[in-house]
Amino acid sequence: MFKEFRTAIGMLLCVSLLTGVLYPLLITGLTQVLFPEQAKGSLIRDAQGQVRGSHLLGQSFTGAAWFHSRPSAVDFATLPSGASNLAPSNPELAVQVRQRISALAPDSEQPVPMALVTTSGSGVDPHLPVGAVLYQVHRVAQARQLSSEALMQLIEVHTERPFIGPAVVNVLALNQALQMIGVTRE
Amino acid sequence: MELEDYGLLLGFLACVLLPAPFLGRYMFRVMERQPLWLSSHLAPVERLGYRVLGVEAETEQSWRAYAKALLGFTLLNILVLFGVLVSQGHLPLNPQQVSGLEWTLALNTAVSFVTNTNWQAYSGEANLSYFSQMLGLTVQNFISPAIGIAVLAVLCRGLARKTTQALGNFWVDLWRVILYILLPACLLLAPVLVWLGVPQTLDSYATALTLQGQEQHIPLGPVASQVAIKQLGTNGGGFFGVNSAHPFENPSAWSNLLELAAILLIPAALVFTFGDYVRDRRQSWALLACMLVLFIASLGLTLYAEHRPNPALVGLPVEQTGSLEGKESRFGVTGSALWAVATTTASSGSVNAMHDSFSALGGLGLLVNMMLGEVIFGGVGAGLYGMLLCVMIAVFLAGLMIGRTPEYLGKKLEAVEIRWLVASLLVMPVGVLVFTALAVSLEGPASAISNPGPHGFSQILYAYTSATANNGSAFAGLSANTPFHNLLLALAMLLGRLGYILPVLAIAGSLGAKRCAPPDSNSRFPTHSPLFVVLLTLSILVVSGLTFLPALVLGPLAEHLISVG
């Protein structure tokens, strides 16, 4: 009995040391050297060195002059992030979708892209499908007094097309590029 | 379905099935202590382990000794993890100054990770320290799948060996699985995940000023090392609350494919390990065929259901595509549905989309995957030993039909085996039906429901199915972090884990002690023929599936019928 107990404790200690300490530390050390950017959270800094976000975490954008992100059920909270978990049959879902449609396009005939009126799984989805970004071009172009063609070009540059997933645009990166254009104009 | 959707499906099947025969052979060699390329390098570490443990690597155990060691070790792990979780406020590596978990939540979490369920009633980024994540959860993420493979190896030995009590040594099996299978696989996967964008750091959280001038906290941590093992070990307990939907756990379509393949990689390969044990890979192909038939049927249903527009939104000026509520843009409908099917067939429980927001029929498919007892690939080790129990039931049925003593791979199935088989058959109905009935009939526990109508019932049904099947995914709107649910779900998880492991070990012990019937006896019902695959598939659906039909009618089927009106 005592011997079994000793073996069990020994096993837990060995595995803890190997997989709970050495393994994560080895991966941490290795990746801090190989891929330091990603390992530290793909942080975006401005010219002053201030952290402005992470390339991978969506941010809230409001107003006509920005491309809006995927709606978030938790208003882009990160500690913790979360989702609506609304069932498709929950009447609340249809109510929310209706509200988002009327906020986006009160009198448009053109159907609104699904991604712009439903909340994401993580609450911090950084991407939008290309169609949902193109849908916003007209509004942003007007607000910024830019040509739609210039915006379309910018979107094309920021479009990611994996062969195994939908074509998406990183909204944060796109808005950052938009901000740069604004800066150079001023 | 677009071209890239087919690309994903093909890429996924290729990544899972192509390496399986080779990885299966490799794992057989690990379990049978045959020389490996890795063992020429890691042998000193392996021997050092045995010295610390005080274990003779050559001494094998009977099934009772094996079970005793396993139970004792499981209990120790639960106690230690529980201790870590309640006292994390006083432990190091706690940059966010989180306090210890409330005791029922800590117990639920401890049982959850030790049983390979990884049900999460907490949110990692808000409730856990780096110490708890690394030395608590990551360690159990290695141990629990290793135990799954070890138990499977015992059953394989019981089938393959003749007239012996010796079925392997628990400590040696465990140590070798971790050293030669899980750790090397994680060392390969984790750096690739970091390359694709998953963070891996011990720095504290960052604070950002967003482009529009708001404050945003950026949660960080040793994420990649934990995501690698949670996928490969069919654990599923995410570093973050929203699991692999979080862009830091699963940043792109490519990481999605890799993590998807990692869920089923080892369970698929183990089918071939079994074939190597019984020296007949035709058996592997037959089991794989049955698993694939059920997998593809389930995938077809879920893809169909998720690509259909939500009837509740028809008529609104919105593009009538599949619903994206609770799904991430970079995965789309197909990437989310495929993941949901893979994770529920494989008892992984990691999610990249919120199952609560899946359509009624989509959710039904996920529930059925779990209710079948996680035998379609299933958890690492656990899936295949569950499947082998189903095979024995099918063989027993075939034996009844032709009026002979049922026999599997030359071993007669007699009263002892059948008794244990029936005991294992009771696990899912008790955990799912009895516990769900208890939870929905009490006012307090039932108030955890967040969606109205039949879907509310589905939320509780899903929770107890997931716990008993050791899956760990959830209809996450359910407020499960209450003392009642924490404790009853913990009980369901223990039942689902040990209620299979003990019968499997007992059956292995009984089979191992038997002689093997001569291979040329023509009375044998061939268990590698297409006919047997059909019989096996049907018996899984009938024996396991029909039990749950009434519950499914009350939940997802009713929801579907109401919504299409």
Side-chain angles (χ1 to χ4, degrees):
Chain A
M1 190 62 205
F2 172 75
K3 190 176 165 294
E4 284 276 297
F5 187 63
R6 187 204 123 172
T7 309
I9 297 269
M11 178 59 95
L12 187 55
L13 286 178
C14 284
V15 178
S16 297
L17 183 69
L18 196 65
T19 67
V21 180
L22 294 179
Y23 159 66
L25 290 186
L26 179 70
I27 298 290
T28 307
L30 190 72
T31 54
Q32 294 282 334
V33 175
L34 289 177
F35 318 110
E37 281 297 309
Q38 296 97 311
K40 291 188 172 129
S42 310
L43 300 180
I44 300 170
R45 291 169 200 275
D46 60 17
Q48 287 76 43
Q50 160 81 38
V51 177
R52 302 307 299 265
S54 162
H55 183 71
L56 292 172
L57 293 189
Q59 297 185 357
S60 163
F61 289 101
T62 53
W66 299 93
F67 285 99
H68 294 183
S69 299
R70 192 76 201 280
S72 163
V74 293
D75 198 20
F76 295 89
T78 51
L79 299 179
S81 62
S84 74
N85 283 307
L86 288 174
S89 60
N90 193 331
E92 176 65 20
L93 177 67
V95 170
Q96 290 189 4
V97 168
R98 230 181 273 269
Q99 278 169 357
R100 292 192 196 104
I101 293 173
S102 50
L104 271 173
D107 41 35
S108 160
E109 297 293 301
Q110 193 192 353
V112 180
M114 188 59 102
L116 283 178
V117 294
T118 49
T119 61
S120 63
S122 65
V124 285
D125 189 346
H127 298 101
L128 272 180
V130 179
V133 178
L134 292 176
Y135 182 83
Q136 305 182 51
V137 164
H138 182 65
R139 184 194 74 222
V140 177
Q142 270 195 333
R144 296 206 172 234
Q145 299 186 336
L146 291 167
S147 73
S148 293
E149 289 71 39
L151 282 184
M152 306 273 250
Q153 256 175 14
L154 201 61
I155 291 170
E156 182 57 35
V157 172
H158 284 86
T159 303
E160 300 162 26
R161 285 197 180 79
F163 313 111
I164 48 159
V168 289
V169 177
N170 186 311
V171 179
L172 178 56
L174 180 66
N175 278 331
Q176 230 190 338
L178 210 55
Q179 199 182 28
M180 299 294 276
I181 296 177
V183 171
T184 42
R185 278 205 168 177
E186 282 158 17
Chain B
M1 297 265 291
E2 309 277 332
L3 193 61
E4 70 254 15
D5 295 329
Y6 293 102
L8 175 64
L9 295 179
L10 275 181
F12 166 74
L13 285 177
C15 287
V16 170
L17 296 179
L18 293 183
F22 308 101
L23 184 59
R25 169 59 57 89
Y26 173 79
M27 289 194 284
F28 169 72
R29 297 178 68 92
V30 171
M31 300 318 292
E32 286 308 287
R33 302 182 61 226
Q34 294 180 1
L36 308 159
W37 175 79
L38 262 181
S39 65
S40 53
H41 297 80
L42 287 177
V45 184
E46 189 187 349
R47 281 198 299 271
L48 182 69
Y50 299 144
R51 284 251 298 278
V52 174
L53 303 180
V55 163
E56 297 270 352
E58 279 70 33
T59 322
E60 299 208 341
Q61 297 165 314
S62 69
W63 82 266
R64 283 175 200 278
Y66 204 100
K68 222 176 81 187
L70 187 153
L71 287 176
F73 191 54
T74 300
L75 184 66
L76 175 75
N77 281 308
I78 293 176
L79 290 177
V80 169
L81 182 53
F82 175 77
V84 167
L85 292 173
V86 290
S87 60
Q88 60 175 359
H90 309 289
L91 294 170
L93 278 176
N94 185 9
Q96 298 313 119
Q97 305 288 320
V98 296
S99 50
L101 297 185
E102 179 264 330
W103 79 269
T104 60
L105 178 60
L107 184 65
N108 178 283
T109 308
V111 170
S112 161
F113 276 74
V114 171
T115 56
N116 198 249
T117 312
N118 306 49
W119 171 266
Q120 293 176 285
Y122 64 92
S123 234
E125 65 270 42
N127 303 130
L128 291 190
S129 70
Y130 291 175
F131 185 93
S132 300
Q133 296 266 24
M134 282 167 57
L135 269 140
L137 305 187
T138 305
V139 171
Q140 292 307 324
N141 281 351
F142 277 93
I143 291 177
S144 60
I147 289 183
I149 296 182
V151 172
L152 173 67
V154 173
L155 182 57
C156 289
R157 289 172 191 140
L159 282 163
R161 295 180 181 179
K162 301 172 190 83
T163 56
T164 178
Q165 300 284 331
L167 293 173
N169 185 311
F170 176 68
W171 308 108
V172 175
D173 285 347
L174 203 59
W175 189 231
R176 283 183 65 90
V177 170
I178 290 172
L179 207 55
Y180 293 124
I181 301 174
L182 298 176
L183 200 55
C186 288
L187 286 173
L188 291 176
L189 181 59
V192 181
L193 290 177
V194 178
W195 176 57
L196 290 169
V198 181
Q200 176 74 22
T201 173
L202 295 177
D203 295 347
S204 50
Y205 297 176
T207 306
L209 189 69
T210 65
L211 292 197
Q212 285 203 323
Q214 292 155 325
E215 192 179 61
Q216 185 189 39
H217 297 283
I218 299 182
L220 297 168
V223 185
S225 54
Q226 190 171 326
V227 171
I229 185 60
K230 84 147 188 186
Q231 295 301 108
L232 284 164
T234 57
N235 296 289
F239 197 91
F240 301 104
V242 293
N243 214 288
S244 277
H246 200 288
F248 272 166
E249 284 204 22
N250 193 358
S252 66
W254 288 104
S255 66
N256 197 48
L257 172 64
L258 260 185
E259 291 182 19
L260 258 170
I263 296 178
L264 289 185
L265 183 70
I266 296 180
L270 282 170
V271 178
F272 291 95
T273 307
F274 161 71
D276 286 345
Y277 261 106
V278 298
R279 292 196 193 81
D280 184 0
R281 279 212 163 176
R282 292 174 307 178
Q283 307 291 339
S284 306
W285 291 109
L287 294 187
L288 194 67
C290 171
M291 290 175 172
L292 275 177
V293 165
L294 290 168
F295 183 87
I296 288 170
S298 170
L299 181 63
L301 170 71
T302 309
L303 278 175
Y304 162 78
E306 289 310 301
H307 273 284
R308 270 164 53 106
N310 179 357
L313 303 182
V314 169
L316 297 182
V318 61
E319 281 176 0
Q320 295 296 325
T321 57
S323 172
L324 284 173
E325 183 74 19
K327 297 189 178 76
E328 294 281 289
S329 310
R330 62 194 179 284
F331 311 139
V333 171
T334 303
S336 306
L338 174 59
W339 184 297
V341 173
T343 196
T344 47
T345 51
S347 116
S348 166
S350 65
V351 297
N352 77 349
M354 295 303 123
H355 294 182
D356 218 349
S357 299
F358 269 41
S359 61
L361 284 184
L364 172 94
L366 307 184
L367 270 166
V368 171
N369 289 341
M370 294 188 288
M371 285 167 171
L372 295 184
E374 298 289 19
V375 296
I376 316 168
F377 295 105
V380 165
L384 189 54
Y385 62 64
M387 178 53 118
L388 289 172
L389 294 184
C390 294
V391 169
M392 289 179 205
I393 291 167
V395 168
F396 178 68
L397 293 177
L400 288 183
M401 283 189 255
I402 55 177
R404 283 180 185 278
T405 310
E407 198 182 286
Y408 183 46
L409 301 171
K411 299 278 178 129
K412 284 197 164 64
L413 302 180
E414 291 160 308
V416 183
E417 287 82 17
I418 301 301
R419 262 204 297 275
W420 284 108
L421 273 179
V422 172
S424 75
L425 274 182
L426 290 175
V427 168
M428 287 302 293
V430 169
V432 175
L433 299 178
V434 177
F435 288 7
T436 301
L438 190 64
V440 292
S441 55
L442 295 173
E443 203 173 315
S447 67
I449 289 172
S450 71
N451 281 301
H455 192 91
F457 172 74
S458 302
Q459 286 185 303
I460 291 199
L461 179 67
Y462 195 103
Y464 285 91
T465 307
S466 169
T468 315
N470 289 163
N471 183 281
S473 65
F475 276 3
L478 187 75
S479 312
N481 183 15
T482 64
F484 177 89
H485 288 300
N486 279 338
L487 295 177
L488 192 60
L489 285 166
L491 187 62
M493 293 188 264
L494 275 178
L495 175 73
R497 181 74 165 174
L498 300 176
Y500 277 98
I501 284 183
L502 291 179
V504 166
L505 290 178
I507 290 173
S510 168
L511 290 176
K514 290 181 192 205
R515 283 200 312 263
C516 207
D520 54 9
S521 63
N522 55 11
S523 68
R524 200 181 283 182
F525 185 78
T527 49
H528 54 78
S529 63
L531 182 64
F532 183 75
V533 173
V534 173
L535 179 71
L536 176 61
T537 311
L538 289 179
S539 74
I540 290 174
L541 288 175
V542 171
V543 174
S544 316
L546 277 188
T547 318
F548 301 104
L549 191 61
L552 292 171
V553 170
L554 285 177
L557 275 175
E559 184 189 4
H560 174 70
L561 293 176
I562 292 172
S563 72
V564 295

